[in-house]
Amino acid sequence: MKKASLSVHAGTRRDTISGGINTPIVTSSAFDYLDQPEVRYPRYFNLSNQQAVVDKICALETAEDGMLFSSGMAAITAIFSSELKSGDHAVLLAGLYGGTHDWAIHEFANRGIEVDFVAPDTQAIEHACRDNTRLIYIESPTNPLLRIVDIKAVAEIARARGITTAIDNTFASPILQNPIRLGFDYVMHSATKYLGGHSDLCCGIVVASNKRITRLRPTAVRYGGSVNAQTAALLERSLKTLALRIERASENALLIATALADSDGISQVFYPGLKSDPQYAVAARQMSAFGGMLSFELAAAIDPVAYQRRLKLIAPAVSLGGVESTICQPVATSHQKMPDADRQQLGIGPSLLRLSTGIEDAGDLIEDLQQALGD
Ligand SMILES: *Cc1c(COP(=O)(O)O)cnc(C)c1O
């Protein structure tokens, strides 16, 4: 089956009591243990509503197994906790999602884990590997400049050295990019973003081989970051439109990026789907389309806060991946905590705005972005 069909159908557990065609929401936290082969409990990550979501994402990511968490951070930290112990070294990208960066800075040291932060570049990643490196953890496309990492090349470097690989696939979604097919071991998503897609829930998911999930599971159960049946069911419903939403957001983002690249008042557009983007070839090789995220640099004369206030349709907001378009200024949001010098090194200045393209009409969005350029 193709992804549009898997988005709708994979994982559904029909209701055997009523004959309903949707997965019934089973809200129990207490289950019969005498006549059930498996003891069910929300924190054991084995509710049918949790499992329906896991099965759908596994089908879309071509993964054997997975676990659904109460947030993206719970999913990420489960991978770190399962794969890294005292004395190990990890290679992480510089400029990862702020929460991931923050966790690595504060919690790795507590646990005796060493870390290097490197540029999103195959050679830099290879260079940082040592004898005790156990994990390479990346994002692609990256936030907020949409840099592309060659996933297959990194997987090959890691495999040759026996290093585990994990990727935060939130920006691409399972519709556009499947890192397990390219040789990665773990794929995680903040399901709060595109998977949920309506800016109304918080979840995270990890998928990998049976073997890795079997090892991850007891750690995850100990930490306890599971999600309730209602939220899992809401996520399952949202996922039925995932392929449609991603397709539309990608189309819109390409049209917007093309229009903005020609606009006075915008000095640079970052979108890997533009043929002029130096990363276009790698992106086109590993992604089926280029996604809904893009960023752009306003001309120095335009005040970025005033610009956002002049927008009529696009909402200034943190988070991303909803059906509605949202915009944010990374220096004031995702990268607020980062020291100025580090931000400058990454190329993230006050004039940079990040757009999460929704599924509205592309013409309406372009008109809004352009009318706000004039005052
Ligand atoms: C939001 C986000 C996370 C963290 O997810 P939460 O659901 O907020 O815990 C991780 N990675 C990326 C790329 C994100 O955008």
Side-chain angles (χ1 to χ4, degrees), residues 71-73 76 97 100 139 168 170-171 190 192-193 202-203 320:
S71 71
M73 283 311 301
I76 292 166
Y97 174 73
T100 314
E139 291 172 8
D168 181 334
T170 301
F171 271 34
S190 169
T192 315
K193 315 298 166 54
C202 186
C203 282
L320 61 105

